[in-house]
Amino acid sequence: MNQPLTYRDAGVDIDAGDALVDAIKPLAAATKRPGVMGAIGGFGGLFDLKAAGYDDPLLVSATDGVGTKLKIAFETGEHRTIGQDLVAMCVNDLVVQGAEPLFFLDYMATSKLRPEHAADVIAGIAEACSLAGCALIGGETAELPGFYQPGEYDLAGFAVGAVERDRLLPKLDAIVPGDFVIGMPSSGLHSNGFSLVRRIVEETELAFDDSSPFQPDLTLGEALLTPTRIYTRELIATLKQTTGIKALCHITGGGLIENIPRILPAEVSAVLDLKGFTIPPIFNWLAKEGPVSETEMARTFNCGIGMVAICDAHESKTIEALLSDQGVSAQKIGQLSPQDDHETGKRVSIAGLFDGR
C-alpha cells in the first residue's frame, strides 16, 4: 500500500517557512518608522501617509532585482550583502523622483529553502532598510521544487515612497543648456553589468577566493560583492534644504550613456569630463582585462558615478556643500549643451574616462 504523501515529500517545507517568518519578525520590527501600521505576518502591509507627515503626496513605486551578481553570492557562500543590493536598487530609483522611501517588500524564490541563507539575505535587507529610512513591512518566500538549481535562489524587491506634489523631480521645464552635471561616487560596480564581469573573470581564470588584483586586501569575490550604495537619506536631507536640484539620475543598467538622457528634455544633451573624477580601480581592471572599449564601459557600468544631479550653474557649489555635509563627496563632472540634431541619438559625450590613467 502506498504511503500517504505530504507537501514536504514534494519538496516544500511549510514548517521551515514558518520558522523563517518568526526569525524575520524582529528584523522587520527594527525598521519601523512613522506611518507603519500592524506587524509582519498578515496578508498585506499597512501604511498611514498622514501619520508620516504628508499633506498632498504622490506615491512613487519601484521594483528591481539583483541580477547575476547572485551567482557570485552562490559561489562564495556570502549572502548578507545581497540584501543591501536589493534594497538599494529600488530605493535609489525612488529618491531620484524626490520621493522618500516609506516601505519595502521582498520576494525570495528557491528550489529548497535553506533557512541559514534566507536569514542572512533578509538580515541584509533589514539593515539596508534602516540605512534607507524605510520600513520592511512584508514579503514572500517561495519554495519551487525543480524550478531553480540546488543552492540557488532569486530575489525581487518592491519599494513605495512619497513626495509632496510640488517637489516632484525631474523638473524638465527648468532644465536648460548651461546647467551643471554633478556626480556622486558609487561604492563600486553596484548591481549592474555582472554578466560581463563574470565573463571577464572566467577569461582571467581567477577564482573568487583569490586575492583581488585591484583591491588586494580583499578576495576577488568579496570585492565584487561590495554592496550598492544607498543615497536616500543624504539626498532627502539635501532636497529639504534646497530647491536648486532640477533632476537626479540613478546610474544603473545602461551606465552613464543610457541613463542620463532619461532625465533630460529632448533638446538638451550632456557633455561630461571625468579627468578630475577618481574612478575606482575595478573599472580600469575590467576595461583592461576584457578588453572593454570606453564606450562599452560607459554604457554598461556606472564607472564610479552612482548618482547624478542636474542644477543651475550658480547653485552647484551650494549643492556640493550640502551634499558634503551629508557625507557625499559630490563634484561637477559636466555641463548641459543644446542637442545637436546632426548627432542622431548621441545625448551624452564623455571625455577623460580612462585616458592617461
Side-chain angles (χ1 to χ4, degrees):
M1 181 177 178
N2 291 335
Q3 292 292 320
L5 288 174
T6 66
Y7 209 3
R8 181 181 291 180
D9 295 329
V12 179
D13 190 339
I14 294 174
D15 293 332
D18 289 342
L20 181 62
V21 171
D22 288 337
I24 291 168
K25 285 181 179 178
L27 298 174
T31 70
K32 190 171 183 178
R33 53 149 295 151
V36 173
M37 298 176 63
I40 234 171
F43 287 98
L46 301 175
F47 195 91
D48 183 349
L49 279 172
K50 187 175 181 181
Y54 285 89
D55 296 318
D56 185 21
L58 295 172
L59 289 178
V60 184
S61 60
T63 183
D64 211 334
V66 180
T68 62
K69 189 174 186 177
L70 287 172
K71 286 283 192 181
I72 301 175
F74 304 153
E75 293 196 39
T76 61
E78 297 292 334
H79 302 276
R80 191 140 184 154
T81 60
I82 289 296
Q84 179 167 328
D85 288 305
L86 184 66
V87 174
M89 295 301 288
C90 295
V91 298
N92 287 341
D93 278 355
L94 296 183
V95 76
V96 298
Q97 294 176 91
E100 174 190 16
L102 301 176
F103 58 86
F104 186 86
L105 300 96
D106 66 275
Y107 175 79
M108 182 178 189
T110 185
S111 180
K112 181 175 177 59
L113 183 63
R114 295 190 178 186
E116 68 279 10
H117 291 175
D120 274 352
V121 171
I122 296 168
I125 290 171
E127 290 170 3
C129 283
S130 294
L131 283 175
C134 67
L136 176 60
I137 65 168
E140 173 71 4
T141 304
E143 281 189 292
L144 306 175
F147 201 79
Y148 295 95
Q149 293 295 320
E152 297 192 354
Y153 54 83
D154 198 10
L155 293 174
F158 310 87
V160 174
V163 57
E164 296 289 5
R165 191 178 301 270
D166 61 353
R167 302 303 295 269
L168 184 67
L169 296 178
K171 303 172 184 175
L172 288 177
D173 292 343
I175 296 172
V176 295
D179 284 347
F180 279 11
V181 182
I182 295 173
M184 294 165 239
S186 67
S187 56
L189 289 168
H190 287 182
S191 296
N192 298 106
F194 272 86
S195 294
L196 179 55
V197 170
R198 289 167 47 243
R199 173 66 180 273
I200 292 170
V201 171
E202 288 174 8
E203 295 287 339
T204 65
E205 299 185 351
L206 286 168
F208 289 121
D209 59 0
D210 288 340
S211 177
S212 167
F214 50 85
Q215 202 168 351
D217 57 323
L218 299 176
T219 67
L220 179 59
E222 289 170 338
L224 294 177
L225 286 173
T226 299
T228 305
R229 183 171 184 173
I230 293 173
Y231 298 89
T232 55
R233 283 187 183 272
E234 296 89 341
L235 286 174
I236 291 297
T238 301
L239 289 169
K240 286 179 178 178
Q241 297 177 76
T242 179
T243 57
I245 293 177
K246 299 180 180 183
L248 290 166
C249 180
H250 184 199
I251 308 301
T252 57
L256 295 163
I257 289 177
E258 300 292 338
N259 281 290
I260 292 175
R262 297 168 66 182
I263 60 167
L264 300 179
E267 65 276 11
V268 176
S269 61
V271 179
L272 308 185
D273 186 345
L274 305 184
K275 287 193 288 291
F277 195 93
T278 301
I279 297 176
I282 185 172
F283 297 103
N284 293 277
W285 182 78
L286 290 168
K288 179 181 177 181
E289 292 295 332
V292 184
S293 70
E294 285 198 8
T295 299
E296 189 66 15
M297 289 293 296
R299 70 190 300 266
T300 304
F301 302 112
N302 65 61
C303 294
I305 301 166
M307 187 71 68
V308 162
I310 306 296
C311 67
D312 185 277
H314 301 296
E315 298 271 3
S316 65
K317 290 300 181 184
T318 299
I319 290 168
E320 287 176 29
L322 289 171
L323 287 168
S324 179
D325 290 343
Q326 297 297 323
V328 181
S329 57
Q331 67 183 76
K332 179 191 173 186
I333 59 169
Q335 195 164 7
L336 302 187
S337 67
Q339 171 66 15
D340 187 343
D341 292 335
H342 300 293
E343 295 186 64
T344 55
K346 187 174 182 181
R347 304 289 306 284
V348 179
S349 61
I350 304 176
L353 185 53
F354 296 112
D355 297 342
R357 296 178 192 241

